[in-house]
């Protein structure tokens, strides 16, 4: 469930809607916040949602910013649509959280909201009130070499909390105040026409596929963009708009090339390896601008559906 600090598509959206984020139907491109789906390990069935919210200093914990309040409101709407409890965990950003550390907790369930300050060790008891089984490990979390972009809550949850499996929601699309699409962002230096979703991501896809079902069978798409070496990018205005510099740990500078996207629809197939699993179906390629514009995006989907019926 690790999020990357640099993402070309998210950076593009941040710039496009920097003056008024409300104008965008697509949400969650602020990569400093995470919405997590917690699911049963045995069948990937969603149990609850968690907002992992890091703040800069202690004074910010009591009174969230306007942006944070809007994020909370949006996540409450999503939880209501999915009929799942939502937990908002806010803490001062740090490397490690321990069981004895205090965080601020907001709870939303069936239209009711509660707020308070708790120790992380209380989380299993709180989960039990919602019939969610959880156990606490009495250990000190250890930061690993590949944890540089993980949050303190992510590390604590992995090391100390036994409560199913987690998946991170990358982006969603709203229409009429409801979620209509969930997007899983993928990128790779593998050639654009040769890349396909990895089998290793099947557990993550299963959680999100089930989450989309709970949201009312909304679309679940994998959105892929190419990454190119810094020496193979475009130039001029094209470079500034559609090539976004990112840093890959230990590999130097690359560009997210986002002018053309590869789109997969994730379907739940009943007889994959003898039990139901999500199955990515390639829909084709679409320009970034068409994908962001709802009318063009809908036209793209209708054309693909027509092709499948022929």
């Amino acid at each position: 469930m690790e999020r990357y600090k640099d993402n070309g598509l998210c950076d593009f959206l941040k710039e496009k809607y920097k003056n008024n984020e409300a104008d965008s139907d697509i949400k969650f491109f602020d990569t400093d916040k995470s919405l997590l789906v917690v699911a049963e390990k045995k069948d990937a069935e969603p149990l609850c949602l968690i907002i992992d919210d890091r703040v800069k200093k202690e004074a910010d914990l009591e009174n969230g910013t306007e942006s944070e309040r809007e994020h909370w409101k949006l996540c409450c709407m999503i939880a209501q649509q999915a009929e799942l409890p939502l937990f908002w965990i806010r803490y001062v950003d740090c490397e490690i959280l321990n069981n004895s550390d205090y965080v601020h907790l907001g709870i939303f369930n069936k239209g009711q909201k509660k707020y308070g300050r708790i120790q992380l060790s209380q989380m299993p008891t709180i989960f039990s009130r919602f019939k969610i089984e959880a156990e606490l490990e009495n250990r000190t979390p250890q930061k690993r070499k590949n944890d540089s972009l993980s949050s303190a809550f992510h590390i604590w949850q992995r090391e100390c909390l036994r409560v199913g499996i987690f998946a991170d929601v990358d982006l969603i699309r709203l229409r009429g105040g409801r979620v209509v699409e969930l997007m899983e962002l993928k990128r790779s230096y593998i050639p654009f026409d040769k890349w396909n979703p990895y089998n290793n991501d099947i557990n993550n896809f299963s959680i999100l596929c089930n989450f989309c079902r709970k949201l009312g069978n909304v679309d679940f798409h994998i959105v892929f963009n190419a990454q190119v070496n810094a020496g193979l990018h475009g130039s001029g205005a094209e470079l500034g708009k559609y090539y976004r510099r990112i840093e890959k740990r230990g590999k130097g500078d690359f560009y997210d090339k986002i002018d053309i996207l590869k789109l997969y629809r994730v379907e739940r197939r009943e007889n994959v390896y003898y039990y139901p699993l999500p199955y990515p179906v390639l829909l084709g390629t679409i320009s970034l601008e068409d994908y962001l514009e709802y009318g063009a995006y809908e036209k793209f989907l209708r054309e693909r559906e027509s092709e499948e019926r022929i």
Side-chain angles (χ1 to χ4, degrees):
M1 67 177 193
E2 180 176 317
R3 287 190 74 108
Y4 292 95
K5 184 178 180 181
D6 296 321
N7 183 289
L9 180 54
C10 291
D11 290 345
F12 179 89
L13 290 168
K14 286 178 187 176
E15 291 182 16
K16 184 177 178 68
Y17 298 106
K18 63 182 177 182
N19 294 324
N20 192 356
E21 188 175 327
D23 289 343
S24 174
D25 290 335
I26 296 177
K27 306 294 183 182
F28 294 156
F29 48 80
D30 179 356
T31 52
D32 290 333
K33 298 182 180 69
S34 299
L35 179 64
L36 312 173
V37 183
V38 185
E40 291 271 17
K41 191 172 184 179
K42 62 181 180 181
D43 58 8
E45 188 64 24
L47 296 167
C48 66
L49 305 175
I50 293 178
I51 303 172
D52 178 2
D53 188 13
R54 289 92 68 196
V55 300
K56 293 181 179 179
K57 54 183 185 248
E58 189 73 33
D60 295 335
L61 283 170
E62 293 291 344
N63 299 302
T65 65
E66 182 178 351
S67 175
E68 285 176 315
R69 288 190 291 272
E70 286 300 314
H71 187 78
W72 169 238
K73 182 179 177 181
L74 172 60
C75 291
C76 287
M77 180 275 291
I78 295 169
Q80 185 88 342
Q81 184 174 334
E83 298 183 348
L84 291 171
L86 169 67
F87 303 92
W88 183 18
I89 297 174
R90 305 183 72 236
Y91 57 95
V92 177
D93 199 9
C94 57
E95 283 200 353
I96 293 294
L97 284 169
N98 291 289
N99 292 347
S100 58
D101 287 331
Y102 283 85
V103 298
H104 282 250
L105 176 69
I107 301 176
F108 174 84
N109 188 48
K110 297 179 180 178
Q112 301 297 312
K113 298 178 183 179
K114 295 181 180 180
Y115 304 92
R117 186 171 179 265
I118 66 159
Q119 276 186 307
L120 282 171
S121 59
Q122 296 175 260
M123 284 303 297
T125 301
I126 292 169
F127 280 137
S128 69
R129 298 172 190 166
F130 299 88
K131 298 181 180 180
I132 300 172
E133 295 183 5
E135 296 181 2
L136 194 72
E137 296 282 352
N138 187 20
R139 57 194 295 183
T140 301
Q142 301 296 316
K143 192 173 177 68
R144 302 173 188 169
K145 287 183 179 180
N146 62 351
D147 278 335
S148 62
L149 296 174
S150 297
S151 73
F153 176 78
H154 177 182
I155 298 169
W156 174 80
Q157 166 270 315
R158 183 190 66 208
E159 300 285 337
C160 298
L161 187 65
R162 297 291 171 260
V163 59
I165 49 180
F166 286 61
D168 196 349
V169 175
D170 287 341
L171 295 177
I172 61 170
R173 191 193 300 263
L174 301 179
R175 295 296 289 180
R178 290 179 64 82
V179 181
V180 296
E181 179 191 10
L182 186 146
M183 309 164 214
E184 174 82 353
L185 302 183
K186 294 294 182 182
R187 56 193 180 167
S188 175
Y189 57 85
I190 293 174
F192 185 82
D193 60 342
K194 296 188 180 302
W195 184 89
N196 280 300
Y198 297 117
N199 290 334
N200 289 344
D201 287 330
I202 198 74
N203 287 335
N204 194 62
F205 295 159
S206 293
I207 297 170
L208 296 176
C209 195
N210 288 336
F211 181 49
C212 286
R213 189 196 76 249
K214 292 191 72 68
L215 286 166
N217 293 316
V218 305
D219 289 337
F220 175 25
H221 292 141
I222 297 169
V223 182
F224 173 75
N225 71 264
Q227 288 183 324
V228 296
N229 187 281
L232 299 175
H233 57 72
S235 60
E238 183 187 46
L239 171 61
K241 190 172 185 179
Y242 296 121
Y243 289 75
R244 300 296 171 128
R245 185 186 292 273
I246 60 170
E247 183 177 342
K248 299 187 73 170
R249 285 174 291 172
K251 297 182 180 179
D253 287 340
F254 278 73
Y255 283 83
D256 271 340
K257 183 178 179 294
I258 59 172
D259 54 339
I260 300 295
L261 306 173
K262 201 173 183 181
L263 201 64
Y264 295 80
R265 180 178 62 232
V266 182
E267 300 177 351
R268 188 172 179 82
R269 296 284 179 89
E270 291 300 319
N271 296 306
V272 181
Y273 302 115
Y274 307 106
Y275 52 89
L277 281 176
Y279 189 84
V281 177
L282 177 62
L283 295 179
T285 61
I286 184 171
S287 73
L288 172 64
E289 302 293 352
D290 280 352
Y291 185 61
L292 299 182
E293 202 281 307
Y294 189 71
Y297 157 73
E298 273 198 315
K299 180 182 178 183
F300 172 85
L301 293 184
R302 287 195 302 269
E303 290 173 350
R304 295 305 175 274
E305 289 172 0
S306 297
E307 290 172 2
E308 289 175 357
R309 288 195 294 267
I310 295 174

